[in-house]
Amino acid sequence: MGWVSGIFRRRVVPIPKFDLSALEAVGGGPDRAWQLLTLWWQATDSHVTDGANSPEGVAALAGRYDVTLPADFHAYLLRGCPMEDHGMDEELGTWWPLERVRNLLEEEGCGPEPGLPGNGARYLLFADHLIWCWAWAISCEPGPTYGQVVRVSDTIRVVADSFTDFVERYVRDWHSIG
């Protein structure tokens, strides 16, 4: 801080950039999304505790909604899903534990969505932004929407073609899916 030509100037401390180089080492396939997300949570010092869910627990979720989970989302639920329902990450997102994942019809304030196939019964909410300013859901509806991720707020719009695409964009530029 100091005076320059009669004007008070304050030194601006730059916002630290996180080292995301570890993300480049993640391979492809259905495990890519959860591995990217886990490494990103670690690199950004997010207070998200991820872990493994039982295959029976994930199968019970799929059975409850009569859905076949997209492979990348299934892998995430098995190996990278948060274990606790609290704590926002660096981008103010709350990723839901398996017990909280539900369809649009069961989420308070949502209900049937006539603009979606099956009124949203096979769209599973898995995360929200800033204490439910909006949320994201993945389509488990057979057909052309299968695997797409939508942003749920006052309107619903497709933000990613797959869960992996969603995570890729979230960890690099979350505004593109916000």
Side-chain angles (χ1 to χ4, degrees):
M1 290 193 278
W3 288 93
V4 177
S5 301
I7 299 173
F8 183 74
R9 298 214 184 239
R10 189 168 98 190
R11 189 177 340 182
V12 177
V13 178
I15 297 172
K17 297 290 183 188
F18 297 103
D19 179 9
L20 301 179
S21 60
L23 300 182
E24 302 310 317
V26 176
D31 290 335
R32 181 170 174 76
W34 73 264
Q35 290 174 348
L36 278 174
L37 197 52
T38 297
L39 286 171
W40 183 79
W41 284 331
Q42 291 169 0
T44 59
D45 292 327
S46 295
H47 300 288
V48 178
T49 305
D50 63 332
N53 287 300
S54 72
E56 296 80 16
V58 175
L61 173 74
R64 183 167 50 250
Y65 299 111
D66 189 28
V67 298
T68 300
L69 300 169
D72 53 357
F73 188 64
H74 184 263
Y76 159 76
L77 292 175
L78 278 175
R79 297 182 194 98
C81 185
M83 306 296 357
E84 300 168 347
D85 190 15
H86 63 77
M88 292 181 196
D89 64 23
E90 178 66 22
E91 301 300 356
L92 304 178
T94 301
W95 293 74
W96 299 1
L98 183 65
E99 304 80 44
R100 186 171 174 198
V101 174
R102 62 182 56 112
N103 71 7
L104 289 175
L105 305 179
E106 290 181 343
E107 180 68 8
E108 187 176 327
C110 285
E113 180 53 52
L116 294 176
N119 289 326
R122 291 184 171 163
Y123 279 72
L124 301 182
L125 294 155
F126 61 86
D128 68 82
H129 178 72
L130 197 57
I131 311 172
W132 235 113
C133 285
W134 63 75
W136 294 284
I138 188 165
S139 172
C140 299
E141 183 71 40
T145 66
Y146 183 74
Q148 290 180 339
V149 176
V150 296
R151 183 185 139 195
V152 180
S153 62
D154 54 335
T155 60
I156 294 179
R157 67 180 175 90
V158 175
V159 295
D161 291 330
S162 68
F163 185 69
T164 300
D165 178 38
F166 175 82
V167 170
E168 291 267 1
R169 293 170 63 197
Y170 188 90
V171 302
R172 294 186 193 322
D173 177 22
W174 80 270
H175 294 285
S176 70
I177 47 89

